[in-house]
Amino acid sequence: MGNCHTVGPNEALVVSGGCSGTSEKAYIVGGWAWAWWCLSDTQRITLEIMTLQPKCEDVETAEGVAITVTGVAQVKVMTDNDLLAVACEQFLGKTVTEIKSVVLQTLEGHLRSILGTLTVEQIYQDRDQFAMLVREVAAPDVGRMGIEILSFTIKDVYDKVNYLSSLGKTQTAAVQRDADIGVAEAERDAGIREAECKKEMLDIKFLADTKMADSKRELELQKAAFNQEVNTKKAESQLAYELQAAKEQQKIRLEEIEIEVVQRKKQITIEDKEITRTERELVATVMRPAEAEAYKIQQLAEGQKTKRVLTAQAEAEKIRRIGEAEAGSIEAVGKAEAEKMRVKAEAYQQYGEAAKIALVLEALPKIAGKVAAPLARTNEIVILSGEGSRVTREVNQLLAELPVSINALTGVDLTKIPLLQKLTGTEA
């Protein structure tokens, strides 16, 4: 019994041992192999690229200058069966780090040996040649290990005594001088060439601008011509369209007018018939009844007028006769009153002063009534006096002042009447 083992293209599978005890080994890359239990042994070795960074510090060159060189190498195990067998003999069972360490030491050794045979200038100025030399010298040794150098490049070269920086200062000065002269000449030539180029550029630009302006002018002229032609066609088309539209609109309007005329005629006929019908209806429903009602109202008004005239005449006759009767009555009363006044005047003239006194005496009760009218609404009069005879005295005093007041009002002196003289105590 056994197992089937598979391996990818980045690894190699080594199967050793077997049932017959043979010493042959099987190398499988990117495939599979059968291994018997307890009789076969399987091991793997990487085929991936390994990156190494060899570094030689303070290595003396052929001129005795100590420099430090660093490089970068890409190596891998070769897949040829014989070389793979060699690599398996050398590195089978080792880790990738251990394999890289062995190869790195080999490369650094060859790098040191080659540095001792070259000058600093050779190393510094031609790094590619130096790297190729290292690869050619180291390739046989690492090839005998089953390792292939895919690439080797010099990464950096420097020293601690500033040899490289001071190398060839004279040459550098000369080169700098020549460089300055060359720069000045180059700048001069460049200025001249730049001016010539600018002139050429300006000439070309002028020609280009001229051609562009001509092209633009021609384009504008063509566009103007095209626009004019297009606008003319548009105007003609628009005018034709508007003219045709106006004609169509005129036709439509004429048809509409004819339709309106027909409709208007029909409407006028209908309106005439409606007017005739309305007139007849008005005559039947309004005019005839109105005429009858007007005649009735006229007759009633004439009757009322006659009645009012006769009534007014009768009333006027009544008023006239009543007025004549009242006038006669008033005339008779006036004549009687006048006669009465005449008789009184003759009597007063005959009796003289006595008649006046009589009139005054007749008027005194009326005057007293008017004066006492407010007292008529008085229920009780209380005279406050501390003496009993004082009331009598005040009454006598009032009576004594009465003739004076009447004299002032009427001009009649009551004190000359004998009877009043006795009442008032003024008799001579």
Side-chain angles (χ1 to χ4, degrees):
M1 298 297 290
N3 292 329
C4 181
H5 296 271
T6 59
V7 67
N10 62 335
E11 285 184 326
L13 179 65
V14 182
V15 182
S16 59
C19 296
S20 60
T22 180
S23 61
E24 292 183 2
K25 301 176 181 63
Y27 302 97
I28 295 91
V29 178
W32 65 278
W34 180 266
W36 297 97
W37 291 352
C38 302
L39 297 177
S40 300
D41 182 36
T42 58
Q43 290 179 299
R44 298 170 186 265
I45 186 170
T46 182
L47 299 179
E48 294 179 351
I49 293 176
M50 294 175 285
T51 301
L52 305 177
Q53 294 184 352
K55 182 177 181 181
C56 295
E57 295 182 349
D58 300 330
V59 179
E60 292 184 358
T61 61
E63 296 176 346
V65 179
I67 62 174
T68 299
V69 178
T70 60
V72 178
Q74 307 291 342
V75 300
K76 68 181 291 294
V77 176
M78 291 185 284
T79 57
D80 184 77
N81 284 336
D82 295 336
L83 295 175
L84 181 58
V86 173
C88 290
E89 291 176 0
Q90 301 291 331
F91 302 111
L92 196 62
K94 294 182 180 294
T95 63
V96 176
T97 303
E98 291 174 341
I99 297 173
K100 291 171 67 176
S101 177
V102 173
V103 178
L104 180 62
Q105 291 177 7
T106 303
L107 289 175
E108 287 180 350
H110 286 288
L111 183 60
R112 284 178 178 273
S113 64
I114 294 173
L115 285 173
T117 62
L118 298 175
T119 63
V120 177
E121 289 81 357
Q122 292 175 337
I123 297 170
Y124 188 78
Q125 293 176 0
D126 196 355
R127 294 188 183 188
D128 293 337
Q129 185 65 30
F130 173 58
M132 185 175 65
L133 181 61
V134 173
R135 187 166 58 252
E136 290 177 352
V137 173
D141 289 342
V142 296
R144 286 190 290 269
M145 299 179 190
I147 302 297
E148 179 185 7
I149 300 176
L150 300 177
S151 67
F152 181 85
T153 57
I154 299 301
K155 184 179 180 181
D156 193 11
V157 177
Y158 60 92
D159 66 290
K160 297 180 180 179
V161 295
N162 296 325
Y163 180 85
L164 293 174
S165 61
S166 60
L167 181 65
K169 288 185 177 180
T170 304
Q171 183 66 23
T172 302
V175 171
Q176 184 67 35
R177 181 197 60 200
D178 295 340
D180 293 338
I181 294 172
V183 169
E185 292 176 352
E187 288 179 352
R188 180 197 62 193
D189 296 339
I192 295 172
R193 184 58 183 165
E194 183 179 2
E196 293 175 353
C197 291
K198 284 184 177 180
K199 182 178 179 299
E200 293 177 0
M201 181 187 69
L202 292 175
D203 293 339
I204 295 172
K205 186 175 182 298
F206 177 74
L207 293 175
D209 292 340
T210 304
K211 291 181 179 180
M212 187 180 297
D214 294 338
S215 300
K216 188 174 181 180
R217 181 176 58 80
E218 292 178 0
L219 177 62
E220 294 295 333
L221 290 174
Q222 291 179 359
K223 286 174 65 177
F226 292 156
N227 290 333
Q228 182 179 3
E229 184 177 358
V230 170
N231 292 331
T232 302
K233 294 297 182 182
K234 285 184 178 180
E236 292 176 355
S237 175
Q238 183 68 23
L239 183 60
Y241 172 76
E242 291 178 355
L243 181 60
Q244 186 64 30
K247 291 180 180 179
E248 295 296 330
Q249 189 67 28
Q250 186 177 6
K251 291 180 180 179
I252 294 171
R253 184 56 185 164
L254 290 174
E255 292 178 357
E256 290 178 351
I257 291 172
E258 291 178 358
I259 294 172
E260 290 178 358
V261 168
V262 173
Q263 291 178 349
R264 185 59 181 167
K265 288 181 179 178
K266 291 183 179 180
Q267 186 177 1
I268 290 171
T269 303
I270 294 171
E271 289 178 353
D272 290 339
K273 293 181 179 180
E274 182 67 20
I275 290 170
T276 303
R277 187 191 65 79
T278 305
E279 287 179 353
R280 292 177 180 176
E281 183 178 356
L282 289 175
V283 169
T285 59
V286 177
M287 186 177 294
R288 299 303 182 189
E291 289 177 355
E293 185 68 21
Y295 180 75
K296 177 181 177 181
I297 291 172
Q298 182 180 2
Q299 295 299 321
L300 291 175
E302 290 179 357
Q304 291 292 334
K305 179 180 178 181
T306 304
K307 180 180 177 181
R308 284 197 297 271
V309 169
L310 295 177
T311 302
Q313 290 177 357
E315 188 67 25
E317 182 64 22
K318 177 182 177 182
I319 292 171
R320 185 181 63 77
R321 292 187 179 184
I322 291 172
E324 289 178 354
E326 288 180 354
S329 175
I330 292 170
E331 184 181 0
V333 172
K335 289 180 178 181
E337 288 293 334
E339 184 63 22
K340 180 181 178 182
M341 293 299 293
R342 185 183 64 77
V343 173
K344 281 185 178 182
E346 291 178 352
Y348 290 156
Q349 185 177 5
Q350 183 178 355
Y351 292 102
E353 190 68 24
K356 294 180 182 179
I357 292 171
L359 289 174
V360 172
L361 291 177
E362 289 179 1
L364 282 178
K366 294 180 181 181
I367 294 173
K370 296 295 183 181
V371 173
L375 297 176
R377 292 189 296 270
T378 304
N379 295 326
E380 183 181 359
I381 297 175
V382 179
I383 298 175
L384 299 177
S385 178
E387 298 178 0
S389 60
R390 185 176 180 181
V391 176
T392 305
R393 187 170 58 253
E394 290 178 355
V395 173
N396 292 331
Q397 185 178 355
L398 180 60
L399 291 174
E401 293 176 354
L402 182 60
V404 179
S405 299
I406 292 172
N407 187 19
L409 293 173
T410 63
V412 177
D413 190 2
L414 296 179
T415 58
K416 294 182 178 181
I417 301 174
L419 180 58
L420 292 177
Q421 289 178 353
K422 289 180 179 181
L423 290 174
T424 57
T426 58
E427 184 178 2

